[in-house]
């Protein structure tokens, strides 16, 4: 349910009703490139039409998004660069006529039934599956084995079956490729777009979830009922949600949810995780097949991470940095599982249970960007993004 594209109405002299001016303030004495800002509908004061947002007569890329899947937009996403201490005064108007042109898409969701030697078929935007609905890995029911989400930098897929794991497609192009990945060729071989670069096996996968009970790590995998819903897929950001009823959580059953969001220009997805039983200890994982050790680092008062950096891009001899960024105040400990057991070959971080937990999973491949061919650059990227997230652009309404 895409509610808007990049807005360029001002270029065509459209008629618009203005809203009160909103100021965006970079409070830090450092430049912020690709800063993400969310404006709530109530902050804007406009509820109808295609919004046009300008600052000093320069149009700012924006996307109206539906965060709860009810069909109406709730927020406006802005992506903009800020000089140190810069203040941007926004003028927001609702176009009375549709004078938009579409920019090239930079995020995308792909979910469909498996294709046969052609591009993926009809898109799935909502579907329910029941317990034990498995797929043959050699011939899965769903293309990509579940929903895939991508931006101009990286792509991820979620297995829509009892594994509930996550995989990484490393990209060597900024084009949207998931609708053709693995059709007519193997995604395990380097192609013109990139390849599958993660071995998942019995691990939790790329930010896959579990719970820790009596010292044992259990997968948050199957459930009595799982509902998938595409929330929005737009030029700047895409998001989808999984809701679980009767989710297996060790010796218990809980209800829960995952909402994956991927924004243009970022080498990570955001996952907003909901669990009904907050006495549980949540675990988030990274496969450990090619990394013997995992690094813990506190970035600032708000964020810490666990990370690995090795020649661990599966099927290649190339560097891949993987990390889980999380709220420092939720940290319990971190550890690794062995090569046996129901959840094996996994580095994980244990987090205090909360009704909603937000984590960020990073996948930084040197064939996507040579910048990541050095560990120090990967670590700097983690620190920079942690600092951006902890020092958000201030929003001031007049």
């Amino acid at each position: 349910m895409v509610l808007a594209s990049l807005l360029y109405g001002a270029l065509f002299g459209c008629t618009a009703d203005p809203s009160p001016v909103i100021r965006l303030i970079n409070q830090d004495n450092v430049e912020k490139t690709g800063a993400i800002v969310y404006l709530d509908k109530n902050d804007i004061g406009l509820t109808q039409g295609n919004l046009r947002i300008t600052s000093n007569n320069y149009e700012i890329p924006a996307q109206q998004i539906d965060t709860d899947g009810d069909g109406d937009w709730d927020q406006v996403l802005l992506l903009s660069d800020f000089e140190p201490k810069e203040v941007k005064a926004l003028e927001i108007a609702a176009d009375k006529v549709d004078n938009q042109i579409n920019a090239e898409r930079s995020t995308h969701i792909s979910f469909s039934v498996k294709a046969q030697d052609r591009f993926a078929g009809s898109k799935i935007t909502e579907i329910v599956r029941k317990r034990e609905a498995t797929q043959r890995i050699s011939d899965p029911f769903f293309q990509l084995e579940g929903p895939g989400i991508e931006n101009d930098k990286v792509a991820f897929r979620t297995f829509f079956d009892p594994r509930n794991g996550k995989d990484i497609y490393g990209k060597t192009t900024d084009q949207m490729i998931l609708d053709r990945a693995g059709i007519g060729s193997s995604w395990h071989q380097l192609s013109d777009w990139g390849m599958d670069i993660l071995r998942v096996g019995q691990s939790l996968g790329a930010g896959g979830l579990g719970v820790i009970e009596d010292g044992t790590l259990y997968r948050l995998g199957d459930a009595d009922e799982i509902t998938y819903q595409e929330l929005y897929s737009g030029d700047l950001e895409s998001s989808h949600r999984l809701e679980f009823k009767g989710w297996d959580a060790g010796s218990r059953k809980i209800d829960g949810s995952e909402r994956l969001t991927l924004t243009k220009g970022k080498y990570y997805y955001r996952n907003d995780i909901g669990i009904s039983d907050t006495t549980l200890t949540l675990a988030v994982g990274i496969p450990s097949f090619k990394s013997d050790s995992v690094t813990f680092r506190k970035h600032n008062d708000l964020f810490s991470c666990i990370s690995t950096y090795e020649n661990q891009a599966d099927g290649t001899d190339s560097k891949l940095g993987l990390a889980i960024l999380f709220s420092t105040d939720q940290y319990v400990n971190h550890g690794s599982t062995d090569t046996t057991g129901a959840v094996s070959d996994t580095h994980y971080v244990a987090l205090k249970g909360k009704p909603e937990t937000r984590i960020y999973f990073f996948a930084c491949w040197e064939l996507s960007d040579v910048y990541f061919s050095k560990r120090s650059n990967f670590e700097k990227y983690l620190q920079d993004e942690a600092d951006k997230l902890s020092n958000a652009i201030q929003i001031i309404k007049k």
Side-chain angles (χ1 to χ4, degrees), residues 1 63 65-67 107-109 149 228-234 237-241 258-262 270 272:
M1 285 72 72
Q63 179 185 335
I65 59 178
D66 175 11
T67 60
T107 75
H108 177 56
I109 289 175
I149 188 168
Y228 163 85
Q229 182 184 21
E230 178 182 307
L231 296 175
Y232 54 89
S233 181
E237 187 173 271
S238 293
S239 185
H240 66 69
R241 180 171 58 203
E258 297 186 62
R259 178 185 163 193
L260 261 67
T261 303
L262 191 59
R270 183 181 80 230
D272 293 303

Side-chain angles (χ1 to χ4, degrees), residues 18-34:
S19 75
V21 172
I22 293 175
R23 289 186 300 153
L24 304 182
I25 304 173
N26 178 9
Q27 302 175 82
D28 299 321
N29 197 30
V30 294
E31 181 183 9
K32 292 183 179 178
T33 58

Side-chain angles (χ1 to χ4, degrees), residues 350-367:
L351 303 173
K352 298 174 186 176
K354 292 177 62 177
E356 185 170 284
T357 294
R358 175 171 288 183
I359 64 98
Y360 303 83
F361 187 88
F362 289 71
C364 302
W365 187 32
E366 68 169 320
L367 296 191

Side-chain angles (χ1 to χ4, degrees), residues 68 126-129 160 164 223-229 231 240-247 254-259 274:
D68 55 15
E126 189 164 354
I127 191 172
V128 178
R129 79 164 181 85
F160 195 55
N164 194 37
D224 296 336
E225 182 177 287
I226 303 95
T227 301
Y228 163 85
Q229 182 184 21
L231 296 175
H240 66 69
R241 180 171 58 203
L242 293 170
E243 292 189 358
F244 303 85
K245 294 181 179 179
W247 207 0
I254 64 172
D255 294 336
S257 62
E258 297 186 62
R259 178 185 163 193

Side-chain angles (χ1 to χ4, degrees), residues 7 16-19 46 48-54 91-95:
L7 308 176
D17 292 327
S19 75
L46 297 173
Q48 303 295 326
N50 298 304
L51 300 185
R52 178 170 55 87
I53 302 176
T54 58
E91 295 182 357
I92 305 174
D95 292 343

